[in-house]
Amino acid sequence: MTLERSDAPCESAVRGPLVDRFGRVARDLRISLTDRCTLRCSYCMPPEGLDWLPTEETLTDAEVVRLARIAVERLGIRRIRFTGGEPLLRRGLEEIVAACARLRTDKDERPGLALTTNGLGLEHRAAALRAAGLDRVNISLDTLDAAHYAAITRRDRLGDVLAGIRAALDAGLAPVKINAVVLRGLNDADLPDLLDHCLALGLELRVIEQMPIGPPGSWSRSGLVTADEILSLLGTRRDLVALDRDDPHAPADSWTVEGTDSRVGVIASVSRPFCDACDRTRLTSDGQIRSCLFSTRETDLRSLLRNGAADEAIVEAWKHAMAMKPAAHGLDADDFAVPSRTMSRIGG
Ligand SMILES: Nc1nc2c(ncn2[C@@H]2O[C@H](COP(=O)(O)OP(=O)(O)OP(=O)(O)O)[C@@H](O)[C@H]2O)c(=O)[nH]1
Ligand SMILES: C[S@@+](CC[C@H](N)C(=O)[O-])C[C@H]1O[C@@H](n2cnc3c(N)ncnc32)[C@H](O)[C@@H]1O
Ligand code: SF4
Ligand code: SF4
């Protein structure tokens, strides 16, 4: 796919809901609630962490909810995912979820509400989050081997994640998906065990190709474990049958595992990009809109909010940001530009 470099929005891009120059419509908003985290996953953050945003630069709960309301009521957003950093570090998470659950979409429905988390502390919050209106949760777990887990995340917290998964299931959050980024020589050989564990608990495993969006030096194309390799690892003990995508916009390709009711997914952002059908817009914890995970530019909604802008001005700024959305991440292009933030500051 070639990258469109023109910055001029076409007319259709500035009318109606969030539509970009290529006709893609954003229905899915990912809100990062903090840039801080309890882990230091090697593919996402440097061991020493990052310079965290000062509190005053982070959107308040009320600011987050106002932007979510504008997105849902004015801009056609139908699903919201809370992410981070680690969103469970956000004290007001339950209140933010409850406020978003009161919104109504253009179809007069409650927006779908989901959380992506590393699972630390979920044990104590899953029930309250469910009661607040959270529908589902994706939990990151790269391996069941405690030593490998500690090597990847630089923290010895495997037991806490497993407790968080159990609590999510008990609370009735459904489906519970497990996200595993696969790293050569670290957890690739652990995938069959992880799949068996997920099948036993009724969890949907998605194995993720590592993207070049972590700390400098953490990614190389030659070291990438690609979707083809992931599939052969997952097929070591199990037979997989390919499924058609039920949601054309979902990042994962899915398979059923023969002899079970379960499915397993592969998110192949690098070797099989899904940018053509992208339906996402992203809000960072400091109030910047990123139309693409790999954007090199952002649109500052926080300044608008804090300068007293009316909803209409925010709507226009958000639409303009969407109009500038690139065609694709362009990883294969000669002029690929490294995104302006690393993963934990964007929200995945
Ligand atoms: N390239 C790319 N990767 C994405 C995008 N959205 C999510 N991902 C990656 O997909 C992986 C799983 O992300 P999640 O936060 O669980 O979100 P999701 O897979 O969209 O969630 P579902 O709605 O449950 O399918 C992470 O590595 C994300 O960074 C996207 O728009 N582009
Ligand atoms: C940035 S994290 C934020 C939410 C939460 N802290 C967590 O880990 O689930 C969101 C997702 O991005 C994934 N991720 C982080 N760095 C990645 C990378 N370099 N390539 C692919 N996925 C990555 C994580 O595995 C996680 O599933
Ligand atoms: S992937 Fe999630 S848990 Fe791991 S360092 Fe990044 S933000 Fe934290
Ligand atoms: S890389 Fe950008 S355009 Fe491609 S799917 Fe992700 S957010 Fe969408």
Side-chain angles (χ1 to χ4, degrees):
M1 183 185 304
T2 52
L3 271 180
E4 174 62 65
R5 292 294 178 199
S6 161
D7 276 352
C10 68
E11 225 201 339
S12 65
V14 290
R15 277 189 277 120
L18 288 171
V19 186
D20 73 12
R21 290 170 289 164
F22 309 98
R24 294 171 298 184
V25 180
R27 298 292 183 195
D28 188 305
L29 167 63
R30 299 176 66 98
I31 301 181
S32 173
L33 291 174
T34 176
D35 61 334
R36 297 170 196 228
C37 192
T38 36
L39 298 179
R40 298 286 181 273
C41 305
S42 62
Y43 45 76
C44 180
M45 255 206 225
E48 66 280 11
L50 294 162
D51 291 333
W52 312 126
L53 273 177
T55 307
E56 63 275 15
E57 290 185 21
T58 304
L59 294 185
T60 64
D61 292 359
E63 287 170 334
V64 169
V65 171
R66 179 173 173 207
L67 291 179
R69 178 182 57 72
I70 290 171
V72 170
E73 293 181 351
R74 306 284 299 269
L75 290 168
I77 289 297
R78 295 176 186 162
R79 292 174 301 280
I80 299 176
R81 174 170 297 279
F82 301 102
T83 174
E86 179 41 51
L88 290 175
L89 286 177
R90 181 84 184 211
R91 228 176 279 138
L93 178 60
E94 287 79 356
E95 288 72 27
I96 292 172
V97 169
C100 289
R102 289 192 286 273
L103 300 174
R104 289 294 171 269
T105 69
D106 57 347
K107 297 175 97 182
D108 200 26
E109 291 167 352
R110 195 171 73 72
L113 299 177
L115 177 73
T116 299
T117 170
N118 63 27
L120 302 188
L122 188 58
E123 181 185 7
H124 308 292
R125 293 176 73 183
L129 285 166
R130 179 80 189 109
L134 189 71
D135 298 306
R136 60 196 188 92
V137 64
N138 295 354
I139 302 176
S140 297
L141 172 63
D142 300 330
T143 174
L144 290 172
D145 180 298
H148 294 175
Y149 182 87
I152 293 171
T153 65
R154 305 190 179 103
R155 298 288 186 273
D156 188 9
R157 304 290 301 270
L158 177 63
D160 298 296
V161 187
L162 297 177
I165 293 171
R166 174 47 62 201
L169 290 168
D170 290 347
L173 291 163
V176 178
K177 300 183 189 175
I178 300 298
N179 283 340
V181 176
V182 61
L183 304 173
R184 188 175 301 288
L186 268 171
N187 64 338
D188 45 356
D190 300 341
L191 288 184
D193 282 348
L194 187 57
L195 177 58
D196 282 352
H197 182 77
C198 289
L199 295 175
L201 291 185
L203 305 163
E204 181 176 332
L205 174 64
R206 285 115 43 87
V207 184
I208 302 170
E209 284 181 351
Q210 185 189 0
M211 292 184 273
I213 197 165
S218 59
W219 187 89
S220 75
R221 190 172 291 275
S222 58
L224 181 71
V225 183
T226 61
D228 289 345
E229 220 177 315
I230 291 169
L231 276 174
S232 79
L233 288 163
L234 292 172
T236 314
R237 292 181 203 151
R238 303 280 182 169
D239 290 326
L240 308 180
V241 181
L243 283 170
D244 289 335
R245 277 182 186 237
D246 42 16
D247 172 3
H249 309 292
D253 284 314
S254 297
W255 285 259
T256 49
V257 182
E258 233 169 37
T260 76
D261 296 333
S262 300
R263 49 200 275 168
V264 59
V266 177
I267 300 180
S269 310
V270 182
S271 71
R272 300 178 192 169
F274 34 83
C275 303
D276 282 353
C278 181
D279 70 344
R280 277 135 204 247
T281 179
R282 289 175 157 81
L283 175 65
T284 66
S285 55
D286 55 344
Q288 310 299 305
I289 291 297
R290 296 178 67 87
S291 60
C292 172
L293 192 54
F294 287 84
S295 289
T296 52
R297 62 164 72 185
E298 300 181 340
T299 298
D300 181 10
L301 296 190
R302 187 186 62 197
S303 296
L304 283 174
L305 282 173
R306 294 186 180 176
N307 288 328
D311 286 2
E312 285 67 27
I314 291 168
V315 163
E316 282 315 308
W318 208 324
K319 281 186 183 174
H320 187 69
M322 183 69 182
M324 296 297 125
K325 183 177 172 99
H329 53 47
L331 278 174
D332 287 323
D334 292 340
D335 57 350
F336 171 67
V338 174
S340 51
R341 300 179 187 232
T342 51
M343 196 64 148
S344 61
R345 284 185 162 142
I346 300 171

